[in-house]
Amino acid sequence: MAGDNAKQIEDWNGSVGEHWAAEQENTDRLIAAFGEAALQAAAGARAGERVLDVGCGCGDTSLALAGMVGARGSVTGLDVSAPMLAVARRRSAGLDNVTFIEGDASKAELTGPFDLLYSRFGVMFFDDPVQAFAHMRGAMAPGGRLAFACWQLVKDNPWAMIPV
Protein backbone atom coordinates (compact mmCIF):
# COMPACT_ATOMS: atom_id res chain seq x y z
CA MET A 1 0.00 0.00 0.00
CA ALA A 2 1.41 3.41 -0.98
CA GLY A 3 2.26 5.54 1.99
CA ASP A 4 2.74 2.58 4.31
CA ASN A 5 6.34 2.21 5.45
CA ALA A 6 5.57 -0.92 7.50
CA LYS A 7 8.14 -3.13 5.74
CA GLN A 8 10.91 -0.56 6.21
CA ILE A 9 9.99 -0.14 9.87
CA GLU A 10 10.01 -3.92 10.38
CA ASP A 11 13.43 -4.26 8.73
CA TRP A 12 15.02 -1.39 10.68
CA ASN A 13 13.75 -2.84 13.97
CA GLY A 14 15.08 -6.30 13.15
CA SER A 15 18.39 -7.58 11.86
CA VAL A 16 19.00 -4.58 9.56
CA GLY A 17 18.80 -2.08 12.43
CA GLU A 18 20.80 -4.33 14.74
CA HIS A 19 23.54 -4.67 12.11
CA TRP A 20 23.71 -0.91 11.52
CA ALA A 21 23.81 -0.26 15.27
CA ALA A 22 26.69 -2.72 15.66
CA GLU A 23 28.57 -1.17 12.72
CA GLN A 24 27.85 2.46 13.71
CA GLU A 25 31.47 3.65 13.88
CA ASN A 26 32.44 2.17 10.51
CA THR A 27 29.27 3.34 8.80
CA ASP A 28 29.55 6.90 10.13
CA ARG A 29 33.15 7.10 8.93
CA LEU A 30 32.25 5.86 5.44
CA ILE A 31 29.32 8.22 4.82
CA ALA A 32 30.34 11.32 6.80
CA ALA A 33 31.48 13.32 3.75
CA PHE A 34 28.09 12.99 2.06
CA GLY A 35 26.26 14.40 5.05
CA GLU A 36 28.78 17.22 5.41
CA ALA A 37 28.26 18.19 1.76
CA ALA A 38 24.49 18.32 2.25
CA LEU A 39 24.89 20.47 5.33
CA GLN A 40 27.21 22.88 3.50
CA ALA A 41 24.59 23.25 0.78
CA ALA A 42 22.13 24.45 3.45
CA ALA A 43 24.64 26.97 4.84
CA GLY A 44 25.14 24.78 7.89
CA ALA A 45 23.23 24.74 11.13
CA ARG A 46 23.36 28.04 12.97
CA ALA A 47 23.50 28.89 16.65
CA GLY A 48 20.04 28.90 18.21
CA GLU A 49 18.30 27.03 15.40
CA ARG A 50 15.86 24.15 15.78
CA VAL A 51 16.82 21.18 13.61
CA LEU A 52 14.98 18.00 12.66
CA ASP A 53 17.38 15.19 11.73
CA VAL A 54 15.32 12.69 9.72
CA GLY A 55 16.56 9.11 9.79
CA CYS A 56 19.14 10.04 12.42
CA GLY A 57 20.14 6.42 12.98
CA CYS A 58 22.79 6.07 15.68
CA GLY A 59 22.93 9.82 16.22
CA ASP A 60 26.17 10.84 14.52
CA THR A 61 24.62 13.69 12.57
CA SER A 62 22.33 14.76 15.41
CA LEU A 63 25.32 15.09 17.74
CA ALA A 64 27.24 17.15 15.18
CA LEU A 65 24.21 19.38 14.60
CA ALA A 66 23.74 19.82 18.36
CA GLY A 67 27.27 21.17 18.56
CA MET A 68 26.53 23.64 15.76
CA VAL A 69 23.27 25.01 17.18
CA GLY A 70 24.69 25.29 20.69
CA ALA A 71 22.88 25.52 24.00
CA ARG A 72 20.24 27.94 22.69
CA GLY A 73 19.35 25.64 19.79
CA SER A 74 17.90 22.15 19.69
CA VAL A 75 18.07 19.04 17.58
CA THR A 76 15.39 16.38 17.31
CA GLY A 77 16.69 13.12 15.91
CA LEU A 78 13.91 11.02 14.40
CA ASP A 79 14.20 7.42 13.28
CA VAL A 80 12.10 4.27 13.01
CA SER A 81 14.87 2.00 14.36
CA ALA A 82 14.77 1.30 18.08
CA PRO A 83 18.17 -0.49 18.02
CA MET A 84 19.84 2.49 16.37
CA LEU A 85 18.11 5.01 18.62
CA ALA A 86 19.38 3.11 21.67
CA VAL A 87 22.92 3.79 20.44
CA ALA A 88 22.07 7.43 19.74
CA ARG A 89 20.68 7.93 23.23
CA ARG A 90 23.78 6.41 24.83
CA ARG A 91 26.01 8.65 22.73
CA SER A 92 24.07 11.79 23.68
CA ALA A 93 24.10 11.24 27.44
CA GLY A 94 24.60 14.57 29.18
CA LEU A 95 23.55 16.75 26.25
CA ASP A 96 20.52 18.94 26.88
CA ASN A 97 19.95 20.22 23.34
CA VAL A 98 19.35 16.92 21.53
CA THR A 99 16.48 14.47 21.86
CA PHE A 100 15.71 11.30 19.98
CA ILE A 101 12.26 10.05 19.10
CA GLU A 102 11.12 6.86 17.45
CA GLY A 103 8.73 7.44 14.60
CA ASP A 104 8.03 7.48 10.89
CA ALA A 105 8.80 10.97 9.56
CA SER A 106 6.08 10.60 6.94
CA LYS A 107 3.38 10.67 9.62
CA ALA A 108 4.91 11.32 13.05
CA GLU A 109 3.78 14.30 15.08
CA LEU A 110 6.59 16.77 14.43
CA THR A 111 7.04 19.43 17.08
CA GLY A 112 8.28 22.30 14.94
CA PRO A 113 8.71 24.79 13.72
CA PHE A 114 12.12 23.69 12.51
CA ASP A 115 14.62 26.03 10.90
CA LEU A 116 16.44 23.17 9.23
CA LEU A 117 15.25 19.75 8.12
CA TYR A 118 18.35 17.62 7.58
CA SER A 119 18.92 14.02 6.59
CA ARG A 120 21.93 11.89 5.74
CA PHE A 121 20.43 8.99 3.83
CA GLY A 122 17.22 8.92 5.86
CA VAL A 123 14.69 10.25 3.36
CA MET A 124 15.09 7.61 0.68
CA PHE A 125 12.92 4.96 2.27
CA PHE A 126 9.48 6.56 2.05
CA ASP A 127 6.91 4.54 0.15
CA ASP A 128 5.18 7.83 -0.76
CA PRO A 129 7.87 10.54 -0.89
CA VAL A 130 5.48 13.31 -2.01
CA GLN A 131 3.20 12.74 0.98
CA ALA A 132 6.18 12.39 3.35
CA PHE A 133 7.85 15.62 2.25
CA ALA A 134 4.54 17.48 2.35
CA HIS A 135 4.04 16.27 5.92
CA MET A 136 7.54 17.34 6.98
CA ARG A 137 7.13 20.70 5.25
CA GLY A 138 4.24 21.40 7.61
CA ALA A 139 6.71 21.37 10.51
CA MET A 140 9.09 23.89 8.94
CA ALA A 141 9.45 27.50 10.02
CA PRO A 142 8.88 30.18 7.37
CA GLY A 143 12.10 30.38 5.38
CA GLY A 144 13.27 27.04 6.78
CA ARG A 145 15.91 25.09 4.88
CA LEU A 146 16.03 21.49 3.68
CA ALA A 147 19.28 19.60 3.14
CA PHE A 148 19.66 15.90 2.55
CA ALA A 149 21.94 13.32 1.01
CA CYS A 150 20.20 10.51 -0.85
CA TRP A 151 21.50 7.76 -3.12
CA GLN A 152 20.39 7.59 -6.69
CA LEU A 153 18.97 4.38 -8.09
CA VAL A 154 21.48 1.53 -7.94
CA LYS A 155 21.75 1.50 -11.75
CA ASP A 156 22.88 5.15 -11.60
CA ASN A 157 25.69 4.47 -9.12
CA PRO A 158 28.77 3.08 -10.89
CA TRP A 159 30.47 2.30 -7.56
CA ALA A 160 27.60 -0.07 -6.76
CA MET A 161 27.18 -1.54 -10.23
CA ILE A 162 30.81 -2.28 -11.15
CA PRO A 163 31.15 -5.12 -8.62
CA VAL A 164 27.85 -6.60 -9.82
Side-chain angles (χ1 to χ4, degrees):
M1 164 198 303
D4 182 4
N5 295 320
K7 178 64 175 137
Q8 288 290 337
I9 293 168
E10 178 184 336
D11 289 347
W12 287 105
N13 280 288
S15 61
V16 172
E18 290 167 5
H19 173 77
W20 279 71
E23 291 296 319
Q24 168 262 312
E25 289 182 33
N26 292 329
T27 302
D28 287 341
R29 190 173 37 258
L30 289 172
I31 63 177
F34 300 104
E36 291 166 11
L39 193 55
Q40 286 177 4
R46 302 173 190 135
E49 288 190 315
R50 294 183 67 190
V51 179
L52 177 63
D53 185 5
V54 176
C56 66
C58 294
D60 189 57
T61 51
S62 297
L63 296 172
L65 290 162
M68 292 175 199
V69 300
R72 292 183 306 127
S74 66
V75 176
T76 300
L78 175 66
D79 205 288
V80 299
S81 176
M84 294 172 77
L85 287 170
V87 173
R89 289 183 179 112
R90 279 194 305 273
R91 295 176 74 196
S92 68
L95 293 178
D96 294 331
N97 67 340
V98 62
T99 58
F100 293 100
I101 57 175
E102 185 176 344
D104 178 349
S106 69
K107 50 185 127 177
E109 184 176 330
L110 304 174
T111 57
F114 294 101
D115 303 297
L116 174 62
L117 190 152
Y118 173 83
S119 181
R120 183 181 72 185
F121 301 120
V123 296
M124 59 193 186
F125 299 106
F126 300 126
D127 286 341
D128 186 346
V130 173
Q131 179 275 327
F133 278 101
H135 174 71
M136 291 184 292
R137 172 64 184 103
M140 298 290 293
R145 302 173 327 279
L146 166 67
F148 64 89
C150 182
W151 297 121
Q152 298 180 64
L153 297 173
V154 173
K155 69 177 183 65
D156 296 327
N157 284 290
W159 67 268
M161 290 304 294
I162 289 171
V164 173

